[in-house]
Amino acid sequence: MPIIKELPLEKHPFITSTELKSSIQSNQSKRLAHTIHYPPDDCQYLLGTPYFNLNFKRDIRQFIPLGQYKQALRFFKNTHDRSTMVSGLKLEYRSIVKALMDLGIRFRVVDMEKGDKETGRLLRQKGCNSLNLPYGQIMHWQIFPRDMFVYIKKANALLVHSRLFKIPSPVLNGCRIIHTKWGEGGRVLLSGDHMLLSRVPGSGRRAQEAKVISQLMDMGIKAAFLPYALFYGLSPKGEKAFIFHHSHIDLSASLIKGKDGEFHLIIDPDYRTGPLSDPLSVQASLDLVRRNCTEIGVKVHVLREPLNVPFSTAMVQFGNGKILATGGDDELLETISDIVSSENIRATDIPILQYPVFGGAGLHCLVTENPLPILSAID
């Protein structure tokens, strides 16, 4: 029987506003004639560092939602050694890059040449530019840049990770700065002017939370809450070691805008929340999600069958309405197709499996919006 556990907060080095503004780097190397190069100020998105030496079968960042345990365990056991994991991650990363380029998405790579050298060279040859952050070694935030900040393009505002950034000015290059735990982007689902924020189940609104919500409402944002999902922490053998609340709702759901102009939440059909000692049933958990989403007019979609690929609901929808999703989960892709139409979906050529199982991350973690009012300003 897994024990109940509250995961401790981590400590992170700060990034100052000066470092943030000066971090942009153009591609100054010689490029092949057939490659594509995007202007320094025209890369709308960021992709994480191609770093693949993640924790292998250690009880760090290995966790899974309660209802996805069986699927994850199968992939966990089929990955027999570290080299297999690394090879799998490399293939998944390149599949993501290919899908982004097929979609015509313009992106920078965070610290492109600090990770896997071969992949870094390949990205350079394809004309990719880098965003260099002030770290001597690879940090979690470089690999999964979604957790650095949340850029609300609709309001030209940046929610910044309150334990990662140190930006004293309330406005930077015309962009409004709000320090909040919701700046850790896995805690937020954002589409246009609709936002879902994660919260501990059953908790009341705290003063700091209320202040942020008030600021968002003043900017015209419609916000509602999703309670943290329940996860198993896994042992090095893939056993259920403990149960905990995970604050990252993007591992369980995605918020997208449909062809009907409405907003839609696609959620893990086995999503569970509630007290650690007395979890709610799947039905009660999903009913709670529906009630909260109704507050801001978001329609909830629940698949009929369990997910085939862990974290497969962690999709990315771009400003042009196109969606990047993992391959390998046909019912999920059919559901998305009904919402946005099939021509607006690009699935990766291979299922994204190693990132969820050994990195605790889905596609939404690896790709994030580039806050151009800040990062495109080169002094």
Side-chain angles (χ1 to χ4, degrees), residues 271 281-294:
Y271 169 87
S281 67
V282 170
Q283 186 61 52
S285 299
L286 292 173
D287 286 345
L288 178 58
V289 169
R290 289 188 181 94
R291 288 198 299 272
N292 289 3
C293 287
T294 298

Side-chain angles (χ1 to χ4, degrees), residues 25-40:
Q25 294 291 325
S26 297
N27 184 353
Q28 300 296 335
S29 64
K30 185 176 180 180
R31 292 180 296 278
L32 302 179
H34 66 276
T35 60
I36 300 172
H37 172 57
Y38 302 126

Side-chain angles (χ1 to χ4, degrees), residues 5-309:
K5 187 172 182 178
E6 290 289 352
L7 295 188
L9 296 177
E10 302 174 67
K11 293 183 179 180
H12 313 286
F14 280 112
I15 297 176
T16 66
S17 54
T18 302
E19 290 169 327
L20 183 64
K21 288 175 63 178
S22 64
S23 61
I24 198 98
Q25 294 291 325
S26 297
N27 184 353
Q28 300 296 335
S29 64
K30 185 176 180 180
R31 292 180 296 278
L32 302 179
H34 66 276
T35 60
I36 300 172
H37 172 57
Y38 302 126
D41 61 350
D42 201 22
C43 295
Q44 299 287 331
Y45 295 89
L46 299 175
L47 175 65
T49 306
Y51 178 82
F52 311 124
N53 193 27
L54 303 182
N55 294 301
F56 178 72
K57 297 194 175 181
R58 296 171 56 192
D59 56 354
I60 302 173
R61 299 205 66 78
Q62 290 178 180
F63 41 71
I64 202 72
L66 266 60
Q68 298 182 34
Y69 175 70
K70 288 183 180 179
Q71 303 93 306
L73 182 62
R74 182 170 71 253
F75 302 130
F76 188 94
K77 289 186 173 180
N78 287 340
T79 306
H80 300 292
D81 52 44
R82 178 177 291 276
S83 63
T84 303
M85 177 197 71
V86 170
S87 297
L89 286 167
K90 187 179 294 188
L91 289 173
E92 290 176 13
Y93 188 92
R94 293 186 180 187
S95 179
I96 294 167
V97 170
K98 182 177 184 297
L100 287 170
M101 290 186 167
D102 287 348
L103 285 168
I105 301 303
R106 299 180 176 184
F107 62 93
R108 288 184 178 274
V109 181
V110 178
D111 288 311
M112 184 162 62
E113 289 153 333
K114 286 186 181 179
D116 180 73
K117 301 303 181 185
E118 179 186 5
T119 303
R121 286 193 296 271
L122 176 66
L123 291 167
R124 276 289 182 199
Q125 290 172 1
K126 290 183 179 294
C128 294
N129 290 332
S130 182
L131 173 73
N132 294 341
L133 296 179
Y135 291 134
Q137 60 184 16
I138 297 294
M139 303 290 290
H140 166 80
W141 319 104
Q142 289 153 287
I143 309 169
F144 308 118
R146 176 69 60 173
D147 290 338
M148 289 194 295
F149 43 66
V150 175
Y151 180 49
I152 310 174
K153 187 175 182 179
K154 192 89 173 178
N156 194 22
L158 194 71
L159 308 184
V160 296
H161 191 318
S162 54
R163 292 183 291 116
L164 180 63
F165 287 93
K166 189 176 183 180
I167 305 176
S169 174
V171 179
L172 188 60
N173 292 339
C175 183
R176 186 170 180 178
I177 305 297
I178 301 175
H179 288 84
T180 170
K181 66 179 183 181
W182 290 312
E184 187 174 332
R187 297 170 180 251
V188 173
L189 299 178
L190 172 66
S191 182
D193 60 356
H194 282 58
M195 180 180 286
L196 293 169
L197 307 169
S198 69
R199 174 183 277 180
V200 177
S203 65
R205 183 172 294 186
R206 299 175 182 175
Q208 186 60 35
E209 288 185 354
K211 180 181 177 182
V212 173
I213 295 299
S214 177
Q215 289 175 301
L216 293 172
M217 291 177 65
D218 288 345
M219 293 185 290
I221 302 300
K222 299 177 177 65
F225 294 99
L226 287 187
Y228 293 177
L230 289 164
F231 276 59
Y232 289 126
L234 305 182
S235 76
K237 294 182 179 180
E239 300 157 333
K240 303 172 185 176
F242 57 93
I243 187 172
F244 70 103
H245 284 131
H246 202 308
S247 62
H248 286 204
I249 54 177
D250 69 335
L251 301 180
S252 299
S254 283
L255 180 64
I256 63 176
K257 189 174 183 178
K259 57 188 177 183
D260 58 0
E262 301 297 323
F263 294 90
H264 304 259
L265 182 77
I266 297 90
I267 192 165
D268 175 3
D270 292 312
Y271 169 87
R272 294 186 70 184
T273 186
L276 292 172
S277 58
D278 187 22
L280 297 176
S281 67
V282 170
Q283 186 61 52
S285 299
L286 292 173
D287 286 345
L288 178 58
V289 169
R290 289 188 181 94
R291 288 198 299 272
N292 289 3
C293 287
T294 298
E295 295 177 6
I296 58 171
V298 171
K299 183 178 179 180
V300 178
H301 300 259
V302 181
L303 305 182
R304 296 181 300 274
E305 301 293 333
L307 300 177
N308 289 324
V309 178

